[in-house]
Amino acid sequence: MHAISSWKASSDQDLKEALVAPGSLWDDDDDDIGSKYEVTLERTKEDKPIKKMSVFGSVKMEDVLNNRLEKPLDRRSFGKFCKKLFCEDQLEFVLTIMLFKEVRPTGVQYREAVASIRDQYIEPGSCREANISSVLRRKQLRGIKRTLEEGKDDMEIFDQTYREIFNLLKWNVFHKFEKETVLYKCVVDARSSMLWCCYRAQTPNCMAFFSVPEPTNVAHYRLYRLVASILGSVALALYYLHEEKHMAYYCLFANFLGLLLRSICGPRLDPFSVLVILVLEPIVRTFNILETKFVSNKARRWGEAMSCVWTLGTIVGVWLKCDPLVYTLGVSQTVTGYVHSFSDDK
């Protein structure tokens, strides 16, 4: 029995297989045809400790059920956790209804699927009896009987039971699973960091003030690099065209100042942060030019500091009127900046 890992590729055959062996919905190795006694000894074995996954933001049970996350937050890991708590039947019911609504069987297939779900999960004393109230169970059985007698293909027939089991899993099981497998990390938002005067709760002490946004907003990073590269290009052009080389100082010093401030305290004192976060990013987002995503980049501060030193070397070259030094440092830094601003390689 193969595990059904994608609802989008599901078919009537997948639904039939899932109704025969519901465990295949979450376990690749499950080929059990109904007997649950074979796994009794497996439950008594000591489980290996789960390595926690660092997560920015929040984890939703819907993402786990749809298998959108990596191990240990995948569907199979959650299924094993449910099995450890003797409630995998409830998970299998939820996954079965999700597959049922995705496949949308009709005619004979619909009646067979509904009858099978009823016999396995809804009937009192069934092999995988759903943990629902007696009132809802009677109501569900009446609804199934009426639907089968009338010959209707009602895809919402199990919705109320599904919601009750889903919420039961979410509050009684998923939160325990989340606590055991997830290590949440605080997201330092670049916008609120830049407007630190208005969001003082995020900078309660000096240490917080001198922190940098983590994870890094890729769109912000690429826009910073683009602005710095444009300033570097203008500085090189001014240095080449003007006999008075000091005209290039303005652009180079602006670059140096922005890089220095970002390496020290992120966007809080950097003048270019206002341009990038409040002007350029909204434009990019409006025209959907760049995808907004976040990556962990703990070496970002080191990279900004090295760029700052590189820019300082270019300024020294301009002051000494040393053309080889200016063009070597300036061109290499500008080209590298353009490469970073037009690629996702961080």
Side-chain angles (χ1 to χ4, degrees):
M1 185 67 62
H2 67 279
I4 302 169
S5 59
S6 174
W7 307 125
K8 294 182 180 179
S10 55
S11 63
D12 288 335
Q13 184 62 30
D14 292 327
L15 182 58
K16 289 180 182 179
E17 293 178 356
L19 292 173
V20 173
S24 64
L25 288 166
W26 59 267
D27 191 354
D28 294 347
D29 301 326
D30 183 31
D31 56 359
D32 183 33
I33 308 299
S35 175
K36 296 169 58 181
Y37 301 102
E38 298 175 4
V39 298
T40 304
L41 293 178
E42 183 180 341
R43 294 180 190 275
T44 62
K45 294 180 182 179
E46 184 178 355
D47 294 320
K48 295 180 180 179
I50 299 176
K51 185 178 180 180
K52 289 190 175 185
M53 174 180 281
S54 298
V55 174
F56 296 102
S58 61
V59 175
K60 296 181 180 180
M61 192 170 83
E62 293 88 339
D63 293 331
V64 174
L65 295 180
N66 284 286
N67 216 26
R68 295 171 183 154
L69 304 176
E70 297 179 357
K71 191 175 180 179
L73 296 176
D74 59 321
R75 187 164 57 211
R76 189 180 186 203
S77 298
F78 183 52
K80 288 183 176 181
F81 187 82
C82 291
K83 190 174 184 178
K84 186 171 67 175
L85 298 182
F86 297 92
C87 61
E88 72 272 22
D89 294 340
Q90 314 307 312
L91 172 65
E92 289 165 5
F93 172 77
V94 169
L95 294 176
T96 299
I97 300 305
M98 290 172 62
L99 183 60
F100 171 79
K101 293 176 75 68
E102 179 66 30
V103 173
R104 303 185 68 83
T106 58
V108 177
Q109 288 81 10
Y110 173 84
R111 291 191 291 274
E112 290 178 351
V114 170
S116 179
I117 294 172
R118 176 199 61 196
D119 295 341
Q120 291 191 63
Y121 298 101
I122 309 301
E123 289 284 2
S126 54
C127 61
R128 294 181 171 85
E129 184 177 353
N131 187 10
I132 55 177
S133 65
S134 58
V135 175
L136 178 57
R137 190 181 305 278
R138 289 194 295 269
K139 181 179 179 182
Q140 181 71 85
L141 289 171
R142 288 196 301 267
I144 292 173
K145 182 179 180 181
R146 183 173 60 254
T147 299
L148 294 178
E149 289 176 351
E150 294 176 356
K152 294 181 180 179
D153 295 344
D154 183 7
M155 292 299 133
E156 300 177 355
I157 182 67
F158 296 108
D159 279 8
Q160 191 170 354
T161 303
Y162 170 85
R163 284 194 296 270
E164 184 161 322
I165 298 298
F166 183 92
N167 290 330
L168 181 71
L169 273 178
K170 182 176 181 179
W171 298 113
N172 293 350
V173 180
F174 182 73
H175 282 275
K176 296 178 182 177
F177 172 74
E178 186 181 24
K179 185 177 180 180
E180 185 172 313
T181 57
V182 177
L183 177 63
Y184 284 109
K185 289 190 175 183
C186 179
V187 176
V188 181
D189 181 60
R191 181 181 292 267
S192 57
S193 296
M194 182 196 65
L195 300 173
W196 58 276
C197 292
C198 303
Y199 297 91
R200 294 186 181 179
Q202 292 201 11
T203 53
N205 51 51
C206 290
M207 185 175 227
F209 184 85
F210 291 102
S211 62
V212 296
E214 175 65 22
T216 298
N217 187 321
V218 175
H220 289 173
Y221 177 87
R222 294 172 69 176
L223 290 171
Y224 278 130
R225 300 298 291 180
L226 180 61
V227 171
S229 299
I230 291 174
L231 281 173
S233 300
V234 173
L236 289 174
L238 290 173
Y239 182 81
Y240 176 77
L241 295 175
H242 288 264
E243 293 183 1
E244 296 296 331
K245 305 298 185 183
H246 67 273
M247 293 294 296
Y249 275 122
Y250 297 107
C251 294
L252 290 173
F253 184 75
N255 244 350
F256 172 78
L257 181 63
L259 290 166
L260 179 64
L261 292 174
R262 284 201 300 277
S263 65
I264 293 175
C265 56
R268 292 178 181 86
L269 299 176
D270 175 29
F272 293 118
S273 296
V274 178
L275 175 65
V276 168
I277 297 175
L278 297 185
V279 179
L280 296 181
E281 188 201 11
I283 295 174
V284 165
R285 191 175 293 175
T286 300
F287 293 98
N288 199 24
I289 299 173
L290 291 177
E291 179 184 2
T292 300
K293 61 181 179 179
F294 295 85
V295 296
S296 181
N297 189 0
K298 296 181 179 179
R300 179 182 174 183
R301 174 173 280 176
W302 171 254
E304 300 279 15
M306 290 303 298
S307 297
C308 183
V309 172
W310 212 259
T311 305
L312 181 61
T314 308
I315 293 174
V316 172
V318 174
W319 179 62
L320 296 175
K321 298 184 179 180
C322 179
D323 292 354
L325 180 62
V326 173
Y327 290 126
T328 300
L329 296 180
V331 171
S332 61
Q333 184 180 18
T334 302
V335 171
T336 302
Y338 279 123
V339 171
H340 284 183
S341 62
F342 289 103
S343 70
D344 286 330
D345 184 14
K346 300 298 170 281

